[in-house]
PDB file of all heavy atoms in Angstrom:
ATOM      1  N   TRP A   1       2.107  -7.101   2.208  1.00  0.00           N
ATOM      2  CA  TRP A   1       1.296  -7.046   0.996  1.00  0.00           C
ATOM      3  C   TRP A   1       0.780  -8.421   0.571  1.00  0.00           C
ATOM      4  O   TRP A   1       1.512  -9.405   0.543  1.00  0.00           O
ATOM      5  CB  TRP A   1       2.119  -6.484  -0.163  1.00  0.00           C
ATOM      6  CG  TRP A   1       1.362  -6.492  -1.440  1.00  0.00           C
ATOM      7  CD1 TRP A   1       0.518  -5.544  -1.862  1.00  0.00           C
ATOM      8  CD2 TRP A   1       1.355  -7.508  -2.442  1.00  0.00           C
ATOM      9  NE1 TRP A   1      -0.017  -5.896  -3.081  1.00  0.00           N
ATOM     10  CE2 TRP A   1       0.477  -7.102  -3.462  1.00  0.00           C
ATOM     11  CE3 TRP A   1       1.995  -8.731  -2.580  1.00  0.00           C
ATOM     12  CZ2 TRP A   1       0.234  -7.859  -4.596  1.00  0.00           C
ATOM     13  CZ3 TRP A   1       1.750  -9.489  -3.705  1.00  0.00           C
ATOM     14  CH2 TRP A   1       0.887  -9.043  -4.696  1.00  0.00           C
ATOM     15  N   THR A   2      -0.506  -8.474   0.287  1.00  0.00           N
ATOM     16  CA  THR A   2      -1.132  -9.560  -0.472  1.00  0.00           C
ATOM     17  C   THR A   2      -2.146  -8.857  -1.368  1.00  0.00           C
ATOM     18  O   THR A   2      -2.539  -7.711  -1.102  1.00  0.00           O
ATOM     19  CB  THR A   2      -1.869 -10.597   0.410  1.00  0.00           C
ATOM     20  OG1 THR A   2      -2.995  -9.969   1.018  1.00  0.00           O
ATOM     21  CG2 THR A   2      -0.967 -11.222   1.447  1.00  0.00           C
ATOM     22  N   SER A   3      -2.593  -9.522  -2.395  1.00  0.00           N
ATOM     23  CA  SER A   3      -3.563  -8.885  -3.287  1.00  0.00           C
ATOM     24  C   SER A   3      -4.853  -8.561  -2.539  1.00  0.00           C
ATOM     25  O   SER A   3      -5.468  -7.519  -2.772  1.00  0.00           O
ATOM     26  CB  SER A   3      -3.843  -9.758  -4.507  1.00  0.00           C
ATOM     27  OG  SER A   3      -4.364 -11.002  -4.117  1.00  0.00           O
ATOM     28  N   GLU A   4      -5.251  -9.423  -1.605  1.00  0.00           N
ATOM     29  CA  GLU A   4      -6.479  -9.175  -0.853  1.00  0.00           C
ATOM     30  C   GLU A   4      -6.336  -7.970   0.082  1.00  0.00           C
ATOM     31  O   GLU A   4      -7.258  -7.171   0.219  1.00  0.00           O
ATOM     32  CB  GLU A   4      -6.901 -10.412  -0.059  1.00  0.00           C
ATOM     33  CG  GLU A   4      -8.241 -10.264   0.616  1.00  0.00           C
ATOM     34  CD  GLU A   4      -9.380  -9.851  -0.322  1.00  0.00           C
ATOM     35  OE1 GLU A   4      -9.450 -10.334  -1.457  1.00  0.00           O
ATOM     36  OE2 GLU A   4     -10.203  -9.000   0.099  1.00  0.00           O
ATOM     37  N   ILE A   5      -5.176  -7.812   0.707  1.00  0.00           N
ATOM     38  CA  ILE A   5      -4.955  -6.661   1.591  1.00  0.00           C
ATOM     39  C   ILE A   5      -4.957  -5.367   0.785  1.00  0.00           C
ATOM     40  O   ILE A   5      -5.519  -4.351   1.227  1.00  0.00           O
ATOM     41  CB  ILE A   5      -3.654  -6.834   2.396  1.00  0.00           C
ATOM     42  CG1 ILE A   5      -3.888  -7.912   3.478  1.00  0.00           C
ATOM     43  CG2 ILE A   5      -3.198  -5.525   3.031  1.00  0.00           C
ATOM     44  CD1 ILE A   5      -2.685  -8.284   4.270  1.00  0.00           C
ATOM     45  N   LEU A   6      -4.377  -5.379  -0.404  1.00  0.00           N
ATOM     46  CA  LEU A   6      -4.394  -4.193  -1.256  1.00  0.00           C
ATOM     47  C   LEU A   6      -5.826  -3.853  -1.670  1.00  0.00           C
ATOM     48  O   LEU A   6      -6.247  -2.702  -1.592  1.00  0.00           O
ATOM     49  CB  LEU A   6      -3.521  -4.398  -2.487  1.00  0.00           C
ATOM     50  CG  LEU A   6      -3.491  -3.244  -3.485  1.00  0.00           C
ATOM     51  CD1 LEU A   6      -3.004  -1.959  -2.821  1.00  0.00           C
ATOM     52  CD2 LEU A   6      -2.622  -3.605  -4.676  1.00  0.00           C
ATOM     53  N   ARG A   7      -6.593  -4.863  -2.074  1.00  0.00           N
ATOM     54  CA  ARG A   7      -7.989  -4.623  -2.466  1.00  0.00           C
ATOM     55  C   ARG A   7      -8.800  -4.089  -1.291  1.00  0.00           C
ATOM     56  O   ARG A   7      -9.627  -3.203  -1.439  1.00  0.00           O
ATOM     57  CB  ARG A   7      -8.597  -5.908  -3.016  1.00  0.00           C
ATOM     58  CG  ARG A   7      -7.955  -6.306  -4.353  1.00  0.00           C
ATOM     59  CD  ARG A   7      -8.554  -7.551  -4.911  1.00  0.00           C
ATOM     60  NE  ARG A   7      -9.878  -7.195  -5.418  1.00  0.00           N
ATOM     61  CZ  ARG A   7     -10.839  -8.067  -5.614  1.00  0.00           C
ATOM     62  NH1 ARG A   7     -10.654  -9.333  -5.348  1.00  0.00           N
ATOM     63  NH2 ARG A   7     -12.001  -7.677  -6.088  1.00  0.00           N
ATOM     64  N   GLU A   8      -8.560  -4.633  -0.103  1.00  0.00           N
ATOM     65  CA  GLU A   8      -9.273  -4.160   1.096  1.00  0.00           C
ATOM     66  C   GLU A   8      -8.927  -2.704   1.386  1.00  0.00           C
ATOM     67  O   GLU A   8      -9.800  -1.897   1.719  1.00  0.00           O
ATOM     68  CB  GLU A   8      -8.893  -5.032   2.296  1.00  0.00           C
ATOM     69  CG  GLU A   8      -9.545  -4.600   3.589  1.00  0.00           C
ATOM     70  CD  GLU A   8      -9.051  -5.425   4.773  1.00  0.00           C
ATOM     71  OE1 GLU A   8      -8.752  -6.619   4.586  1.00  0.00           O
ATOM     72  OE2 GLU A   8      -8.959  -4.848   5.870  1.00  0.00           O
ATOM     73  N   ALA A   9      -7.654  -2.323   1.247  1.00  0.00           N
ATOM     74  CA  ALA A   9      -7.238  -0.938   1.479  1.00  0.00           C
ATOM     75  C   ALA A   9      -7.912   0.003   0.486  1.00  0.00           C
ATOM     76  O   ALA A   9      -8.340   1.096   0.851  1.00  0.00           O
ATOM     77  CB  ALA A   9      -5.716  -0.825   1.375  1.00  0.00           C
ATOM     78  N   ILE A  10      -8.044  -0.431  -0.755  1.00  0.00           N
ATOM     79  CA  ILE A  10      -8.709   0.394  -1.766  1.00  0.00           C
ATOM     80  C   ILE A  10     -10.189   0.549  -1.440  1.00  0.00           C
ATOM     81  O   ILE A  10     -10.750   1.639  -1.542  1.00  0.00           O
ATOM     82  CB  ILE A  10      -8.501  -0.211  -3.172  1.00  0.00           C
ATOM     83  CG1 ILE A  10      -7.024  -0.107  -3.566  1.00  0.00           C
ATOM     84  CG2 ILE A  10      -9.382   0.481  -4.207  1.00  0.00           C
ATOM     85  CD1 ILE A  10      -6.658  -0.891  -4.798  1.00  0.00           C
ATOM     86  N   ARG A  11     -10.821  -0.546  -1.010  1.00  0.00           N
ATOM     87  CA  ARG A  11     -12.244  -0.474  -0.640  1.00  0.00           C
ATOM     88  C   ARG A  11     -12.451   0.439   0.566  1.00  0.00           C
ATOM     89  O   ARG A  11     -13.389   1.230   0.608  1.00  0.00           O
ATOM     90  CB  ARG A  11     -12.787  -1.868  -0.339  1.00  0.00           C
ATOM     91  CG  ARG A  11     -13.032  -2.710  -1.572  1.00  0.00           C
ATOM     92  CD  ARG A  11     -13.805  -3.966  -1.247  1.00  0.00           C
ATOM     93  NE  ARG A  11     -13.095  -4.864  -0.348  1.00  0.00           N
ATOM     94  CZ  ARG A  11     -12.364  -5.912  -0.733  1.00  0.00           C
ATOM     95  NH1 ARG A  11     -12.240  -6.194  -2.002  1.00  0.00           N
ATOM     96  NH2 ARG A  11     -11.780  -6.673   0.155  1.00  0.00           N
ATOM     97  N   ARG A  12     -11.575   0.344   1.569  1.00  0.00           N
ATOM     98  CA  ARG A  12     -11.712   1.176   2.771  1.00  0.00           C
ATOM     99  C   ARG A  12     -11.468   2.650   2.488  1.00  0.00           C
ATOM    100  O   ARG A  12     -12.033   3.519   3.145  1.00  0.00           O
ATOM    101  CB  ARG A  12     -10.746   0.705   3.846  1.00  0.00           C
ATOM    102  CG  ARG A  12     -11.189  -0.556   4.512  1.00  0.00           C
ATOM    103  CD  ARG A  12     -10.225  -0.932   5.601  1.00  0.00           C
ATOM    104  NE  ARG A  12     -10.759  -2.060   6.329  1.00  0.00           N
ATOM    105  CZ  ARG A  12     -10.432  -2.361   7.553  1.00  0.00           C
ATOM    106  NH1 ARG A  12      -9.551  -1.618   8.196  1.00  0.00           N
ATOM    107  NH2 ARG A  12     -10.963  -3.397   8.141  1.00  0.00           N
ATOM    108  N   ALA A  13     -10.591   2.950   1.511  1.00  0.00           N
ATOM    109  CA  ALA A  13     -10.281   4.344   1.191  1.00  0.00           C
ATOM    110  C   ALA A  13     -11.418   5.017   0.445  1.00  0.00           C
ATOM    111  O   ALA A  13     -11.515   6.246   0.461  1.00  0.00           O
ATOM    112  CB  ALA A  13      -9.003   4.413   0.351  1.00  0.00           C
ATOM    113  N   LYS A  14     -12.302   4.225  -0.171  1.00  0.00           N
ATOM    114  CA  LYS A  14     -13.397   4.812  -0.945  1.00  0.00           C
ATOM    115  C   LYS A  14     -14.295   5.629  -0.021  1.00  0.00           C
ATOM    116  O   LYS A  14     -14.807   5.136   0.967  1.00  0.00           O
ATOM    117  CB  LYS A  14     -14.210   3.728  -1.637  1.00  0.00           C
ATOM    118  CG  LYS A  14     -15.280   4.304  -2.537  1.00  0.00           C
ATOM    119  CD  LYS A  14     -15.997   3.228  -3.299  1.00  0.00           C
ATOM    120  CE  LYS A  14     -17.027   3.870  -4.211  1.00  0.00           C
ATOM    121  NZ  LYS A  14     -17.673   2.886  -5.044  1.00  0.00           N
ATOM    122  N   GLY A  15     -14.468   6.884  -0.374  1.00  0.00           N
ATOM    123  CA  GLY A  15     -15.322   7.763   0.418  1.00  0.00           C
ATOM    124  C   GLY A  15     -14.659   8.316   1.669  1.00  0.00           C
ATOM    125  O   GLY A  15     -15.235   9.142   2.355  1.00  0.00           O
ATOM    126  N   GLY A  16     -13.428   7.857   1.984  1.00  0.00           N
ATOM    127  CA  GLY A  16     -12.732   8.347   3.168  1.00  0.00           C
ATOM    128  C   GLY A  16     -11.783   9.477   2.832  1.00  0.00           C
ATOM    129  O   GLY A  16     -11.783  10.011   1.727  1.00  0.00           O
ATOM    130  N   LYS A  17     -10.974   9.839   3.812  1.00  0.00           N
ATOM    131  CA  LYS A  17     -10.019  10.934   3.616  1.00  0.00           C
ATOM    132  C   LYS A  17      -8.573  10.480   3.779  1.00  0.00           C
ATOM    133  O   LYS A  17      -7.658  11.175   3.371  1.00  0.00           O
ATOM    134  CB  LYS A  17     -10.328  12.062   4.594  1.00  0.00           C
ATOM    135  CG  LYS A  17     -11.727  12.631   4.412  1.00  0.00           C
ATOM    136  CD  LYS A  17     -11.752  14.094   4.710  1.00  0.00           C
ATOM    137  CE  LYS A  17     -13.148  14.672   4.627  1.00  0.00           C
ATOM    138  NZ  LYS A  17     -13.666  14.750   3.294  1.00  0.00           N
ATOM    139  N   GLU A  18      -8.343   9.336   4.410  1.00  0.00           N
ATOM    140  CA  GLU A  18      -6.988   8.847   4.648  1.00  0.00           C
ATOM    141  C   GLU A  18      -6.400   8.256   3.370  1.00  0.00           C
ATOM    142  O   GLU A  18      -7.066   7.490   2.670  1.00  0.00           O
ATOM    143  CB  GLU A  18      -6.994   7.770   5.736  1.00  0.00           C
ATOM    144  CG  GLU A  18      -7.323   8.302   7.108  1.00  0.00           C
ATOM    145  CD  GLU A  18      -6.255   9.259   7.617  1.00  0.00           C
ATOM    146  OE1 GLU A  18      -5.055   8.963   7.483  1.00  0.00           O
ATOM    147  OE2 GLU A  18      -6.638  10.316   8.132  1.00  0.00           O
ATOM    148  N   PRO A  19      -5.130   8.571   3.065  1.00  0.00           N
ATOM    149  CA  PRO A  19      -4.495   7.989   1.880  1.00  0.00           C
ATOM    150  C   PRO A  19      -4.089   6.533   2.132  1.00  0.00           C
ATOM    151  O   PRO A  19      -4.010   6.087   3.282  1.00  0.00           O
ATOM    152  CB  PRO A  19      -3.260   8.874   1.682  1.00  0.00           C
ATOM    153  CG  PRO A  19      -2.960   9.404   3.034  1.00  0.00           C
ATOM    154  CD  PRO A  19      -4.286   9.537   3.737  1.00  0.00           C
ATOM    155  N   ILE A  20      -3.820   5.823   1.076  1.00  0.00           N
ATOM    156  CA  ILE A  20      -3.310   4.455   1.155  1.00  0.00           C
ATOM    157  C   ILE A  20      -1.790   4.561   1.236  1.00  0.00           C
ATOM    158  O   ILE A  20      -1.168   5.249   0.432  1.00  0.00           O
ATOM    159  CB  ILE A  20      -3.724   3.643  -0.083  1.00  0.00           C
ATOM    160  CG1 ILE A  20      -5.244   3.582  -0.190  1.00  0.00           C
ATOM    161  CG2 ILE A  20      -3.111   2.254  -0.053  1.00  0.00           C
ATOM    162  CD1 ILE A  20      -5.751   3.038  -1.506  1.00  0.00           C
ATOM    163  N   GLU A  21      -1.178   3.889   2.213  1.00  0.00           N
ATOM    164  CA  GLU A  21       0.276   3.929   2.368  1.00  0.00           C
ATOM    165  C   GLU A  21       0.892   2.663   1.797  1.00  0.00           C
ATOM    166  O   GLU A  21       0.480   1.558   2.137  1.00  0.00           O
ATOM    167  CB  GLU A  21       0.665   4.058   3.836  1.00  0.00           C
ATOM    168  CG  GLU A  21       0.487   5.447   4.364  1.00  0.00           C
ATOM    169  CD  GLU A  21       1.183   5.639   5.697  1.00  0.00           C
ATOM    170  OE1 GLU A  21       2.328   5.176   5.851  1.00  0.00           O
ATOM    171  OE2 GLU A  21       0.555   6.244   6.572  1.00  0.00           O
ATOM    172  N   LEU A  22       1.876   2.843   0.938  1.00  0.00           N
ATOM    173  CA  LEU A  22       2.593   1.726   0.330  1.00  0.00           C
ATOM    174  C   LEU A  22       4.054   1.779   0.741  1.00  0.00           C
ATOM    175  O   LEU A  22       4.675   2.841   0.704  1.00  0.00           O
ATOM    176  CB  LEU A  22       2.502   1.793  -1.198  1.00  0.00           C
ATOM    177  CG  LEU A  22       1.108   1.849  -1.806  1.00  0.00           C
ATOM    178  CD1 LEU A  22       1.216   1.976  -3.319  1.00  0.00           C
ATOM    179  CD2 LEU A  22       0.299   0.639  -1.420  1.00  0.00           C
ATOM    180  N   LEU A  23       4.618   0.635   1.139  1.00  0.00           N
ATOM    181  CA  LEU A  23       6.049   0.535   1.426  1.00  0.00           C
ATOM    182  C   LEU A  23       6.679  -0.193   0.250  1.00  0.00           C
ATOM    183  O   LEU A  23       6.308  -1.338  -0.057  1.00  0.00           O
ATOM    184  CB  LEU A  23       6.311  -0.224   2.726  1.00  0.00           C
ATOM    185  CG  LEU A  23       7.784  -0.415   3.084  1.00  0.00           C
ATOM    186  CD1 LEU A  23       8.472   0.935   3.300  1.00  0.00           C
ATOM    187  CD2 LEU A  23       7.922  -1.294   4.309  1.00  0.00           C
ATOM    188  N   ILE A  24       7.624   0.483  -0.415  1.00  0.00           N
ATOM    189  CA  ILE A  24       8.244  -0.029  -1.631  1.00  0.00           C
ATOM    190  C   ILE A  24       9.725  -0.263  -1.381  1.00  0.00           C
ATOM    191  O   ILE A  24      10.398   0.554  -0.745  1.00  0.00           O
ATOM    192  CB  ILE A  24       8.082   0.994  -2.787  1.00  0.00           C
ATOM    193  CG1 ILE A  24       6.625   1.373  -2.978  1.00  0.00           C
ATOM    194  CG2 ILE A  24       8.715   0.490  -4.069  1.00  0.00           C
ATOM    195  CD1 ILE A  24       5.743   0.285  -3.479  1.00  0.00           C
ATOM    196  N   GLU A  25      10.248  -1.374  -1.916  1.00  0.00           N
ATOM    197  CA  GLU A  25      11.680  -1.651  -1.875  1.00  0.00           C
ATOM    198  C   GLU A  25      12.229  -1.510  -3.291  1.00  0.00           C
ATOM    199  O   GLU A  25      11.688  -2.073  -4.232  1.00  0.00           O
ATOM    200  CB  GLU A  25      11.926  -3.072  -1.377  1.00  0.00           C
ATOM    201  CG  GLU A  25      13.387  -3.464  -1.389  1.00  0.00           C
ATOM    202  CD  GLU A  25      13.590  -4.911  -0.989  1.00  0.00           C
ATOM    203  OE1 GLU A  25      12.620  -5.695  -1.028  1.00  0.00           O
ATOM    204  OE2 GLU A  25      14.720  -5.258  -0.648  1.00  0.00           O
ATOM    205  N   ASN A  26      13.296  -0.724  -3.425  1.00  0.00           N
ATOM    206  CA  ASN A  26      13.965  -0.557  -4.711  1.00  0.00           C
ATOM    207  C   ASN A  26      15.446  -0.818  -4.477  1.00  0.00           C
ATOM    208  O   ASN A  26      16.155   0.037  -3.940  1.00  0.00           O
ATOM    209  CB  ASN A  26      13.729   0.846  -5.272  1.00  0.00           C
ATOM    210  CG  ASN A  26      14.218   0.988  -6.693  1.00  0.00           C
ATOM    211  OD1 ASN A  26      14.608   0.017  -7.319  1.00  0.00           O
ATOM    212  ND2 ASN A  26      14.203   2.200  -7.198  1.00  0.00           N
ATOM    213  N   GLU A  27      15.896  -2.009  -4.847  1.00  0.00           N
ATOM    214  CA  GLU A  27      17.249  -2.490  -4.571  1.00  0.00           C
ATOM    215  C   GLU A  27      17.494  -2.441  -3.072  1.00  0.00           C
ATOM    216  O   GLU A  27      16.838  -3.137  -2.332  1.00  0.00           O
ATOM    217  CB  GLU A  27      18.269  -1.720  -5.394  1.00  0.00           C
ATOM    218  CG  GLU A  27      18.112  -1.971  -6.888  1.00  0.00           C
ATOM    219  CD  GLU A  27      19.166  -1.287  -7.721  1.00  0.00           C
ATOM    220  OE1 GLU A  27      20.177  -0.785  -7.162  1.00  0.00           O
ATOM    221  OE2 GLU A  27      18.984  -1.262  -8.949  1.00  0.00           O
ATOM    222  N   GLU A  28      18.378  -1.572  -2.574  1.00  0.00           N
ATOM    223  CA  GLU A  28      18.669  -1.531  -1.144  1.00  0.00           C
ATOM    224  C   GLU A  28      17.955  -0.404  -0.418  1.00  0.00           C
ATOM    225  O   GLU A  28      18.168  -0.179   0.768  1.00  0.00           O
ATOM    226  CB  GLU A  28      20.178  -1.405  -0.920  1.00  0.00           C
ATOM    227  CG  GLU A  28      20.759  -0.130  -1.502  1.00  0.00           C
ATOM    228  CD  GLU A  28      22.269  -0.088  -1.419  1.00  0.00           C
ATOM    229  OE1 GLU A  28      22.907  -1.003  -1.941  1.00  0.00           O
ATOM    230  OE2 GLU A  28      22.778   0.862  -0.804  1.00  0.00           O
ATOM    231  N   TYR A  29      17.069   0.293  -1.112  1.00  0.00           N
ATOM    232  CA  TYR A  29      16.356   1.428  -0.529  1.00  0.00           C
ATOM    233  C   TYR A  29      14.886   1.109  -0.298  1.00  0.00           C
ATOM    234  O   TYR A  29      14.275   0.379  -1.073  1.00  0.00           O
ATOM    235  CB  TYR A  29      16.466   2.665  -1.439  1.00  0.00           C
ATOM    236  CG  TYR A  29      17.879   3.151  -1.598  1.00  0.00           C
ATOM    237  CD1 TYR A  29      18.630   2.762  -2.695  1.00  0.00           C
ATOM    238  CD2 TYR A  29      18.456   3.980  -0.650  1.00  0.00           C
ATOM    239  CE1 TYR A  29      19.932   3.185  -2.851  1.00  0.00           C
ATOM    240  CE2 TYR A  29      19.758   4.426  -0.796  1.00  0.00           C
ATOM    241  CZ  TYR A  29      20.498   4.023  -1.898  1.00  0.00           C
ATOM    242  OH  TYR A  29      21.783   4.450  -2.045  1.00  0.00           O
ATOM    243  N   PHE A  30      14.336   1.679   0.764  1.00  0.00           N
ATOM    244  CA  PHE A  30      12.916   1.551   1.075  1.00  0.00           C
ATOM    245  C   PHE A  30      12.308   2.949   1.026  1.00  0.00           C
ATOM    246  O   PHE A  30      12.927   3.922   1.441  1.00  0.00           O
ATOM    247  CB  PHE A  30      12.705   0.966   2.474  1.00  0.00           C
ATOM    248  CG  PHE A  30      13.199  -0.438   2.605  1.00  0.00           C
ATOM    249  CD1 PHE A  30      14.507  -0.699   2.973  1.00  0.00           C
ATOM    250  CD2 PHE A  30      12.362  -1.504   2.339  1.00  0.00           C
ATOM    251  CE1 PHE A  30      14.971  -1.991   3.085  1.00  0.00           C
ATOM    252  CE2 PHE A  30      12.810  -2.803   2.453  1.00  0.00           C
ATOM    253  CZ  PHE A  30      14.120  -3.048   2.823  1.00  0.00           C
ATOM    254  N   HIS A  31      11.085   3.025   0.532  1.00  0.00           N
ATOM    255  CA  HIS A  31      10.418   4.324   0.496  1.00  0.00           C
ATOM    256  C   HIS A  31       8.934   4.111   0.753  1.00  0.00           C
ATOM    257  O   HIS A  31       8.341   3.151   0.275  1.00  0.00           O
ATOM    258  CB  HIS A  31      10.615   5.003  -0.858  1.00  0.00           C
ATOM    259  CG  HIS A  31      10.303   6.460  -0.814  1.00  0.00           C
ATOM    260  ND1 HIS A  31       9.034   6.953  -0.897  1.00  0.00           N
ATOM    261  CD2 HIS A  31      11.112   7.531  -0.668  1.00  0.00           C
ATOM    262  CE1 HIS A  31       9.063   8.259  -0.825  1.00  0.00           C
ATOM    263  NE2 HIS A  31      10.324   8.643  -0.683  1.00  0.00           N
ATOM    264  N   SER A  32       8.346   5.010   1.514  1.00  0.00           N
ATOM    265  CA  SER A  32       6.922   4.955   1.805  1.00  0.00           C
ATOM    266  C   SER A  32       6.207   6.000   0.947  1.00  0.00           C
ATOM    267  O   SER A  32       6.645   7.149   0.878  1.00  0.00           O
ATOM    268  CB  SER A  32       6.691   5.244   3.284  1.00  0.00           C
ATOM    269  OG  SER A  32       5.318   5.183   3.571  1.00  0.00           O
TER     270      SER A  32
END
């Protein structure tokens, strides 16, 4: 993650069908 990569993913998703995938860490757990 960087702010530019997130912005690019949002721009690419516009008008498309693929969702944006986020990998999140919450303490010792990871979730997509």
Side-chain angles (χ1 to χ4, degrees):
W1 176 85
T2 67
S3 60
E4 186 54 40
I5 287 175
L6 178 58
R7 292 181 74 201
E8 178 185 327
I10 293 169
R11 285 191 297 264
R12 285 183 173 203
K14 185 175 182 176
K17 300 214 184 289
E18 291 295 315
I20 300 169
E21 283 194 43
L22 304 177
L23 178 62
I24 306 292
E25 176 184 18
N26 189 8
E27 295 184 12
E28 62 187 57
Y29 297 96
F30 295 89
H31 196 278
S32 180

